[in-house]
Structure formats: structure tokens, C-alpha cells
Amino acid sequence: MVKKITDKVTWVGKVDWELTHFHGHEYSTSKGSSYNSYLIRDEKTVLIDTVWLPYDQEFVSNLKKEIDLNQIDYIVANHNEIDHSGALAELMREIPNTPIYCTANGAKIIKGHHHQDWNFVTVKTGDTLNIGESILTFVEAPMLHWPDSMMTYMSGENILFSNDAFGQHYATESLFDDKVDNCELFAEAIKYYANILTPFSRFVTKKIEELLSFNLPLNMICTSHGVIWKNEPTQIIEKYLEWANNYQENQITIIYDTMWESTRKMAEAIADGIIKSDSDVTVKLFNASKEDKNDLITEIFKSKAILMGSSTINNGLLHSIAGLVEMAKGMKFKNKKAASFGSYGWSGESIKLLTEKLKDAGFEVVNDGIRSLWVPDDDEKTKLSDYGKSIVESLK
Ligand code: FEO
């Protein structure tokens, strides 16, 4: 299925309603996703990006119904992770000499994946391609989120083909931002930013400032995943500037795992103390073993402080907490406070271990944590509630 974007631009991608995981199993896609590819017809014909490998034959077959493939003058490969370059091999079997415009890193990555020496034309920021009434201008965007990433701006139509930037893993047949449920859309957009782009926030800010300095008219941002930002294309740019700037809300998130409910009881008593001390703060509690890990990363992204709890098991941490701290370390969160807690029966190492892991992950750890022997009684719960109050104090 193809969809008209403007008189010159047609969406020729794939909506993947069934997708449940992305990047292997590193990212959950509870609302599916899409691999957006675009066909530009001016005096020259240009294909922007392709789709993920499992849909390569479907993609090429649909494209053939839309256009004689030999009429495609140029392919632009904005980014060559396999969800966008997966169908290249199938396409290049049909049109093997078609020039592929990409960054120098893009050519290396395509060769590394497909082991083919196709007709690469490597471009840098500011290089242009005249396609008739419109001119395509390339803007490198390294580490947003791979070394090869770039964006392509189309004059006349005033479209920024941003690839992964500003995307969401969100399946929709409606294509445009004003045709979907905006709560769902922004929930997926922030999850995508938190889990994929947070480690690269300083590049996000610089790249957006560079793009804005060009003063280009902007009618649409055509992403490679999810909706096209058409109604108010600048709204997602403003959100990205906000999210990239050590984003936090007035939220404290308590994430724990528990063997026999003692660590859960500790979490609830600490939450009680926090809310008694600051009724304006949002406190959320999650059992890490029952929650989606990417939703938890999104909650950490929104938090000004986190409390992580684990019972001690085999002189260590419960695996859901250990795994989550490792994920959080990769996100390189900035300006977030943290502390640990957990129940124990004899050795009780989890608090010390977790405190060290939180420090190692870049959190500002505010104390040495608190642990409870066996099951917290009322006196212990009072201590835990006071601990919650002390956390609020440490944030002032
Ligand atoms: Fe959508 Fe980085 O691939």
C-alpha cells in the first residue's frame, strides 16, 4: 500500500502492527511500529530509505506497482541500521547501478551488512542534489543515533526526512500526527527518546540548534518510524530540546523486586514517608520483575530521584534489578538522585552492591541505603517512612 504525502512525495513503507520487540528484545513495541520509506517524484525520482529485511520482497513488489524501478534515479540511505536498509539487497538486485547517497560511515555500514560494493555517493553536511524544482540538502547527524545517521531536507515541499530522529515505535495507518490519539503518540515518542536517544542528548541539542540556525521553512518532518509531524512540526522539536536538557518531572520512582514481599512492604513504607513529606511529588512504585523494562526506563527518565530495592539472594541482587541498573547505566542519565533499599535474612549484601551499581550508573547517590531484617514490623515501617522523608529532604 502506498500513501500520498504531497503531490511530489509518496509514502511507500511498511506498517508493522505485529511487532512486539525491536533491537532484538531490547525494546518493547507494544503499539507496533512502521518503517517509513518515501518516493519523491520531481524531474528526478528519489527513494528515501527502505524497510526492514523481513519485508524486503513485499516492499519491492509494492514499489514495482507504483513505479518502474528503472525510473528511480537515486536512492538516499539516511541511516543503515537493518530496519531501514534491510530491503536494499532485494532492491539492488533489480537496479544494481543506481547511486546510493549516504554518509561515508553509511557506505561502510551497508558494506558491512550486505557485503556489496554498490554505487555509493558519499555526502557531507551541506551537500546538495538537484532533482528538478526541488533541491535535496544533506545534513549529517552522527550518533543520532548511529555514526552514519543523516537527515535530508527537500526544498519546495519544505520536508525534513529525519530518519530515526523524532520517531516513535507506533503503528498507524493514518500517517499524520493530527490523525492519531495524541496521548498514545506522545507516550510512544517519550519512550522512544528515553530508551534510544537519552545517551546522545548532547548531540540532539547541538543538531537541533544547527538545524534551527539554517532558518529553513518546515512544513513536515517525515520520520522513519511512526507518524509524520505535519500539524505542528515544531512541537516535537521543542519536546526534543526539553527532553535533551536533563529532563525531569516532579516524580520519585521506587522500583524494587521482592522474594517474600518484605522488600515490597519496605517500598510502600518509604513511599508513605515521601508523600507525607511532600504531597506535590508524584510517587510511583513498580515491581521490576512484573513491569516492562523499557517503560521503567521511561519512568526513570521522568524522575528527579529513584529508589531501587532488592532482596539479597545468593549474596547478590535479584536479576530484574541488576538488569535494570545495567540498562540505566547505558542511558547515561544526568542530574538524577538515587538510593537503595532491600530486605535480608543473614548476609544482606544487596544494599551495598546496589548502591555501588547506582553510583557506577551515574546517579547521585544520596545515602548508603536502608535494609530490613526479615519482615518489617510497625517500628521498622516507621523507620522506613522516616527514610522516605529524608529522601525528600535530600532533594531540597
Ligand atoms: Fe530505525 Fe536506527 O534504526
Side-chain angles (χ1 to χ4, degrees):
M1 190 193 299
V2 301
K3 295 171 187 177
K4 179 178 170 178
I5 307 292
T6 70
D7 287 343
K8 286 185 180 168
V9 180
T10 307
W11 178 93
V12 291
K14 169 70 186 175
V15 181
D16 192 347
W17 287 94
E18 287 195 4
L19 191 75
T20 55
H21 293 92
F22 192 80
H23 285 155
H25 278 66
E26 282 302 296
Y27 188 109
S28 60
T29 50
S30 53
K31 294 273 188 296
S33 192
S34 66
Y35 320 108
N36 298 336
S37 168
Y38 303 94
L39 190 66
I40 300 174
R41 278 175 278 212
D42 200 326
E43 287 168 24
K44 298 288 186 182
T45 299
V46 184
L47 181 73
I48 308 252
D49 297 322
T50 70
V51 301
W52 187 30
L53 185 63
Y55 299 106
D56 60 349
Q57 292 182 7
E58 179 181 328
F59 170 74
V60 172
S61 164
N62 285 342
L63 200 55
K64 278 182 181 172
K65 290 177 196 157
E66 182 66 13
I67 191 170
D68 174 352
L69 297 183
N70 291 302
Q71 288 179 10
I72 297 175
D73 297 292
Y74 313 113
I75 296 165
V76 172
N78 275 327
H79 166 45
N80 298 285
E81 196 164 3
I82 211 70
D83 51 322
H84 308 296
S85 69
L88 263 183
E90 186 72 15
L91 181 64
M92 296 307 280
R93 261 193 282 281
E94 304 267 355
I95 47 172
N97 300 315
T98 308
I100 299 174
Y101 284 69
C102 59
T103 61
N105 278 324
K108 284 184 203 163
I109 289 172
I110 293 173
K111 286 178 193 172
H113 280 82
H114 298 282
H115 311 295
Q116 298 285 333
D117 198 13
W118 289 315
N119 180 10
F120 298 108
V121 181
T122 58
V123 295
K124 293 186 171 146
T125 295
D127 288 350
T128 57
L129 179 61
N130 194 328
I131 59 171
E133 292 179 0
S134 288
I135 292 172
L136 300 184
T137 302
F138 305 106
V139 181
E140 293 170 280
M143 300 322 295
L144 292 179
H145 67 130
W146 270 25
D148 66 320
S149 299
M150 72 169 185
M151 305 183 193
T152 301
Y153 178 78
M154 180 184 183
S155 67
E157 303 296 276
N158 304 336
I159 294 176
L160 181 69
F161 295 95
S162 64
N163 197 269
D164 280 338
F166 311 121
Q168 335 84 48
H169 286 304
Y170 185 45
T172 170
E173 297 296 330
S174 306
L175 266 186
F176 298 109
D177 58 331
D178 57 349
K179 302 286 185 209
V180 301
D181 179 327
N182 259 243
C183 287
E184 281 187 356
L185 173 60
F186 278 95
E188 292 305 322
I190 195 170
K191 176 180 172 183
Y192 183 102
Y193 189 97
N195 283 272
I196 297 176
L197 288 159
T198 302
F200 311 110
S201 281
R202 67 192 172 95
F203 300 106
V204 171
T205 308
K206 276 190 181 162
K207 187 51 58 181
I208 290 179
E209 284 170 355
E210 182 190 330
L211 284 169
L212 293 176
S213 75
F214 299 151
N215 282 320
L216 297 167
L218 189 62
N219 293 353
M220 275 185 239
I221 299 174
C222 287
T223 66
S224 62
H225 297 292
V227 301
I228 291 167
W229 300 96
K230 179 186 179 190
N231 183 35
E232 287 179 51
T234 53
Q235 65 177 320
I236 190 64
I237 295 176
E238 284 160 12
K239 278 287 173 202
Y240 264 47
L241 285 172
E242 202 181 330
W243 292 339
N245 187 23
N246 296 336
Y247 183 72
Q248 55 178 239
E249 299 175 13
N250 188 23
Q251 177 173 326
I252 299 174
T253 304
I254 303 176
I255 302 171
Y256 60 91
D257 198 354
T258 189
M259 290 174 69
W260 293 109
E261 309 299 332
S262 290
T263 303
R264 173 180 63 74
K265 288 173 183 165
M266 290 181 75
E268 291 169 0
I270 294 168
D272 180 64
I274 292 172
I275 213 71
K276 277 181 179 150
S277 185
D278 179 359
S279 58
D280 289 332
V281 72
T282 298
V283 182
K284 295 185 184 176
L285 287 83
F286 300 101
N287 181 326
S289 66
K290 297 182 182 178
E291 299 287 340
D292 179 272
K293 63 191 183 310
N294 303 105
D295 290 341
L296 292 177
I297 290 291
T298 309
E299 294 298 339
I300 295 172
F301 177 71
K302 292 194 280 187
S303 300
K304 60 184 183 183
I306 63 163
L307 292 163
M308 290 193 90
S310 172
S311 330
T312 297
I313 182 169
N314 299 333
N315 307 110
L317 300 174
L318 293 173
H319 81 278
S320 68
I321 292 296
L324 192 65
V325 181
E326 184 65 20
M327 279 183 80
K329 180 181 176 182
M331 295 301 128
K332 300 182 173 66
F333 289 119
K334 302 270 188 309
N335 197 28
K336 293 191 190 296
K337 295 192 166 138
S340 63
F341 64 96
S343 64
Y344 72 108
W346 48 102
S347 61
E349 293 93 336
S350 68
I351 305 313
K352 193 162 183 290
L353 286 170
L354 191 46
T355 298
E356 288 310 309
K357 282 185 182 293
L358 287 167
K359 282 181 192 166
D360 185 45
F363 292 95
E364 186 187 329
V365 175
V366 295
N367 59 44
D368 292 337
I370 188 166
R371 60 182 191 168
S372 297
L373 180 64
W374 300 120
V375 180
D377 60 13
D378 285 346
D379 286 344
E380 185 70 8
K381 284 181 183 172
T382 302
K383 258 196 261 175
L384 290 160
S385 179
D386 289 343
Y387 179 73
K389 289 175 189 166
S390 77
I391 295 293
V392 173
E393 284 304 308
S394 72
L395 299 179
K396 287 179 179 164

